[in-house]
Amino acid sequence: MTILDVCSEVGSLRAEEEGIASFTGRVIEIAAGAGGRGSGTSPTAALNAMRLPAMALDQHGFVVDVNATADTVFDHNIKIKDRRLFIRDPDARTLLKEAIDQLKDHSHLNSLALEPVIVPRMEKLPVIVRIWPFDGPAHQPGQDVRALLTLNALGPKPGPPAAILAKRSA
């Protein structure tokens, strides 16, 4: 493999990552709309229906909602502790704290979704945490949710739930 092959492969992965981020951004917008005030559905619940692990944070970085799919990602390396997302790795923890601290400053909100935090895990593949700020129509005055965090655990994805498989074979 030559250096050009490596550069080409890195470029392909970067383009794929940007495509995934763009798609996920649109899904977040849809979930935010579905989970608007008065709808009875939270944005994390809408994302749970799509099997996308997510949690909602307030402007102070406290976790206000977590979907069931996110619970499958948590372990001793990444979990919720005292209403905050706790990350064991100190470097990733610092990056996440800096990003969450920016939620208070509206001028930096657009750049948040572009910088994922990679959370290394012992004996497992890492988790990519993306911060999706609510701004504009999705963020209404007095709204508790300031941002959604999506958690992408790298590695094999589980198949469909057993109940769905049982219905298909019957």
Side-chain angles (χ1 to χ4, degrees), residues 2-169:
T2 68
I3 189 72
L4 292 175
D5 292 335
V6 171
C7 289
S8 174
E9 194 168 314
V10 168
S12 288
L13 289 173
R14 194 168 299 228
E16 183 177 335
E17 167 72 12
E18 287 175 10
I20 290 169
S22 176
F23 173 76
T24 304
R26 291 295 295 153
V27 169
I28 297 296
E29 288 175 20
I30 293 166
R37 285 210 173 271
S39 72
T41 302
S42 73
T44 58
L47 294 172
N48 192 60
M50 293 180 264
R51 298 181 59 118
L52 182 61
M55 65 180 60
L57 301 182
D58 68 10
Q59 69 180 0
H60 304 290
F62 287 106
V63 176
V64 295
D65 192 22
V66 179
N67 66 19
T69 308
D71 287 336
T72 64
V73 175
F74 298 140
D75 59 18
H76 65 279
N77 297 295
I78 181 170
K79 61 186 173 185
I80 297 174
K81 183 177 178 181
D82 299 325
R83 290 190 51 220
R84 296 233 184 233
L85 181 61
F86 171 79
I87 296 175
R88 183 167 302 281
D89 180 76
D91 294 333
R93 185 171 53 234
T94 299
L95 289 173
L96 184 67
K97 182 186 179 319
E98 289 171 358
I100 290 173
D101 285 347
Q102 291 180 24
L103 290 175
K104 298 173 189 170
D105 182 4
H106 295 287
S107 65
H108 291 98
L109 285 181
N110 290 339
S111 64
L112 283 176
L114 302 177
E115 297 298 325
V117 176
I118 299 172
V119 179
R121 300 188 294 173
M122 296 184 328
E123 301 174 16
K124 292 182 180 179
L125 292 172
V127 173
I128 298 174
V129 178
R130 283 193 177 273
I131 299 172
W132 304 92
F134 279 179
D135 196 21
H139 178 71
Q140 301 163 359
Q143 182 182 26
D144 292 330
V145 175
R146 179 57 65 89
L148 282 178
L149 271 61
T150 55
L151 311 167
N152 183 9
L154 300 180
K157 301 291 183 207
I164 291 175
L165 291 175
K167 286 181 183 177
R168 290 192 61 107
S169 64

